[in-house]
Amino acid sequence: MEVEVEAAAAAAEREATNSVICQLADPEGNPLGAALYLPENASPKELNQVVNKLLSNEEKLPYAFYISDEELVVQLGSYLEKNKVSVEKVLTIVYQPQAVFRIRPVTRCSATIAGHTEAVLSVAFSPDGRQLASGSGDTTVRLWDLNTQTPLFTCQGHRNWVLSVAWSPDGKHLVSGSKAGELICWDLQTGKPLGNPLTGHKKWITGISWEPVHLSAPCRRFVSASKDGDARIWDVTTRKCLICLTGHTLAITCVKWGGDGVIYTGSQDCTIKVWETTQGKLIRELKGHGHWVNSLALSTEYVLRSGAFDHTNKHFASPEEMKKVALERYNKMRGNAPERLVSGSDDFTMFLWEPAVSKHPKTRMTGHQQLVNHVYFSPDGQWIASASFDKSVKLWNGTTGKFVAAFRGHVGPVYQISWSADSRLLLSGSKDSTLKVWDIRTKKLKQDLPGHADEVFAVDWSPDGEKVASGGKDRVLKLWMG
């Protein structure tokens, strides 16, 4: 009898406050506790308190909330009314952890640095965001001093265009690859090559990726991909090629060394191959694209790139300490979900994969009207951005691959994109000579950055979020600040 009375009282109370039955879930869809009755006047602020309580977070963390892929920015009642949602069914609310720090959008060009005598083809910040390297058609790599915004070293040694530059995630090494197929490791103290170029590739270098620091510290191994169809694993200390990964029938266009220790290569033979790195065995082949694979991105890419460095500018006493911190960051970012891979192709489509789970794609992402040139996961893995020759940048859900928004504004093909460290802003560089900063929350243009005199080939947002570098056909390197 008492139970009935309690139930009746609870029902009366619910009617009085008009509540909605909600189920909180994480981005993977795993429920957080049981379904709850939440009052219609509950806003994201109250939901934040509920989630922090349910997850028993000692330090309160910020969350954003989504109902069927749309962010909840008003009270529940207003949302239900506006979207004509039935209160009879359980409403699933997905909570997404947000970065605890905020990156200022870049708004002005703080330096225009001449120096290269041909187009700037690649730019890359070091993992701690303190140094910057650029590769150019003038066959040099340049290291820049970011404090004074002046050239530090002009690194000479290549015989042809420098197509790719890559920092090791511990910040100790820089390797560049050229159109002649050779690779050079640079001494960061002097700007001179460390020994002779590493040779072996028969055609130009299309990509370089380092072994993550949480798997091995100090960093020694990196992989290079080439137009000749091979990928090679090198040891930076012995300066030898350890393993040659052969199997692709056409050029390899992109290569990534994953956090689980495997290497992914995307090729013009329409396949993506997955390799283990002790003997160079092929473990998996991901098929589905109908044309060249142009770009690959990993959901964990930001933590793989920045290793142990984060926005707090900590210093590390030893490689072991660095490895430990990097592993903690990697595990925290990945959570319990498998590492995800996204591929963009000349067939206008993208695929989302979970290569550790299946050789079949999780989903096919369509919508671009031209080839997809560059794909990139946001640092928190929540979003995927894609740049295309159809002049648009598109935003997708990083877990499900569902389309979220299209950013239009460029009047030429979009070549490259880069994320701010807090995943709230996206940067794009285009043939139309501009850079644009897009706001992920409002899905609108936040900042238009004209200034280059010609096509912008390369953009990078520093891992510490402080600055942006861009380079292109007009031969100058531009630095942009907030």
Side-chain angles (χ1 to χ4, degrees):
M1 184 66 199
E2 270 178 21
V3 178
E4 281 172 18
V5 171
E6 271 177 32
E13 208 174 293
R14 273 203 304 281
E15 273 162 27
T17 58
N18 270 356
S19 50
V20 187
I21 185 161
C22 301
Q23 174 66 64
L24 289 159
D26 71 5
E28 304 292 325
N30 307 316
L32 173 63
L36 310 162
Y37 279 100
L38 293 173
E40 279 195 4
N41 61 0
S43 67
K45 190 176 161 205
E46 286 78 34
L47 289 172
N48 255 305
Q49 293 165 344
V50 173
V51 171
N52 274 302
K53 191 95 182 112
L54 287 171
L55 291 170
S56 29
N57 292 334
E58 283 171 22
E59 289 179 25
K60 299 283 174 273
L61 295 172
Y63 293 92
F65 298 91
Y66 292 84
I67 302 172
S68 48
D69 275 346
E70 191 182 323
E71 188 174 357
L72 178 70
V73 283
V74 290
Q75 295 185 344
L76 273 173
S78 346
Y79 174 86
L80 300 175
E81 228 166 87
K82 185 178 160 219
N83 293 287
K84 310 268 186 292
V85 179
S86 154
V87 284
E88 306 282 306
K89 298 196 190 76
V90 177
L91 187 66
T92 304
I93 302 177
V94 174
Y95 63 92
Q96 291 270 17
Q98 300 294 291
V100 287
F101 56 95
R102 201 169 261 285
I103 300 291
R104 286 201 303 261
V106 288
T107 52
R108 61 196 171 85
C109 178
S110 64
T112 300
I113 324 174
H116 281 300
T117 55
E118 286 295 334
V120 179
L121 304 174
S122 47
V123 292
F125 282 99
S126 61
D128 60 3
R130 292 199 181 131
Q131 289 174 286
L132 171 69
S134 60
S136 161
D138 65 12
T139 77
T140 68
V141 170
R142 279 178 173 250
L143 288 169
W144 308 89
D145 181 334
L146 291 174
N147 294 322
T148 60
Q149 305 192 346
T150 53
L152 192 59
F153 298 117
T154 300
C155 311
Q156 291 172 327
H158 281 298
R159 300 187 320 241
N160 209 323
W161 300 356
V162 182
L163 302 175
S164 174
V165 287
W167 293 87
S168 62
D170 62 2
K172 302 271 190 287
H173 303 284
L174 175 71
V175 169
S176 57
S178 84
K179 200 172 174 209
E182 84 253 328
L183 296 140
I184 296 182
C185 313
W186 302 97
D187 182 334
L188 299 173
Q189 264 57 57
T190 64
K192 300 271 184 288
L194 286 167
N196 293 326
L198 308 180
T199 53
H201 284 300
K202 295 177 270 309
K203 287 185 180 169
W204 67 78
I205 306 295
T206 54
I208 303 167
S209 185
W210 282 85
E211 180 169 25
V213 68
H214 70 256
L215 297 175
S216 132
C219 293
R220 283 185 62 164
R221 296 196 299 167
F222 66 91
V223 60
S224 60
S226 167
K227 174 99 168 89
D228 64 15
D230 293 344
R232 288 171 178 265
I233 300 174
W234 308 83
D235 182 326
V236 76
T237 23
T238 64
R239 322 190 44 69
K240 298 262 188 301
C241 175
L242 305 173
I243 300 167
C244 186
L245 308 173
T246 54
H248 281 295
T249 54
L250 286 170
I252 298 180
T253 52
C254 43
V255 62
K256 296 284 174 215
W257 198 313
D260 299 337
V262 297
I263 287 174
Y264 305 96
T265 52
S267 164
Q268 291 183 351
D269 65 12
C270 309
T271 70
I272 298 156
K273 294 190 194 300
V274 187
W275 314 82
E276 66 83 48
T277 59
T278 46
Q279 296 157 313
K281 285 205 190 91
L282 178 64
I283 6 184
R284 210 160 238 182
E285 204 166 14
L286 310 176
K287 292 181 172 169
H289 280 298
H291 209 311
W292 299 354
V293 179
N294 289 328
S295 177
L296 293 175
L298 289 163
S299 54
T300 51
E301 201 153 325
Y302 176 76
V303 288
L304 298 183
R305 170 194 179 172
S306 52
F309 300 104
D310 61 10
H311 62 286
T312 56
N313 291 330
K314 279 197 288 282
H315 286 280
F316 302 96
S318 67
E320 290 67 41
E321 186 193 354
M322 202 179 249
K323 184 175 176 178
K324 183 171 150 280
V325 174
L327 184 61
E328 282 164 11
R329 284 189 78 209
Y330 174 73
N331 288 335
K332 185 178 171 204
M333 194 267 133
R334 220 189 83 169
N336 305 321
E339 197 166 49
R340 297 186 299 283
L341 178 77
V342 66
S343 55
S345 163
D346 260 28
D347 65 10
F348 308 177
T349 73
M350 297 147 67
F351 278 110
L352 181 63
W353 314 82
E354 285 178 351
V357 181
S358 162
K359 63 174 187 183
H360 300 295
K362 192 171 172 182
T363 182
R364 182 166 183 252
M365 299 147 74
T366 57
H368 278 300
Q369 318 277 306
Q370 283 284 336
L371 68 88
V372 180
N373 200 44
H374 193 209
V375 289
Y376 215 162
F377 269 97
S378 61
D380 60 9
Q382 183 183 337
W383 310 104
I384 295 165
S386 56
S388 166
F389 275 35
D390 66 9
K391 307 175 191 164
S392 76
V393 174
K394 290 192 189 307
L395 186 71
W396 317 77
N397 180 310
T399 314
T400 60
K402 269 173 72 177
F403 173 74
V404 179
F407 297 130
R408 302 190 190 282
H410 280 299
V411 293
V414 186
Y415 289 145
Q416 212 177 7
I417 43 183
S418 192
W419 284 90
S420 67
D422 61 0
S423 304
R424 292 187 175 103
L425 301 166
L426 177 68
L427 168 77
S428 55
S430 159
K431 183 176 177 163
D432 67 12
S433 86
T434 69
L435 296 156
K436 293 191 192 313
V437 179
W438 309 93
D439 187 318
I440 297 308
R441 179 144 183 216
T442 62
K443 317 278 187 290
K444 290 194 167 63
L445 180 67
K446 180 94 176 167
Q447 205 72 44
D448 194 8
L449 303 172
H452 276 288
D454 212 327
E455 310 186 17
V456 181
F457 293 141
V459 295
D460 195 20
W461 200 316
S462 68
D464 63 7
E466 297 287 315
K467 35 203 174 293
V468 158
S470 61
K473 213 169 174 177
D474 63 2
R475 310 176 197 174
V476 297
L477 188 88
K478 280 187 180 285
L479 290 173
W480 310 80
M481 303 265 174

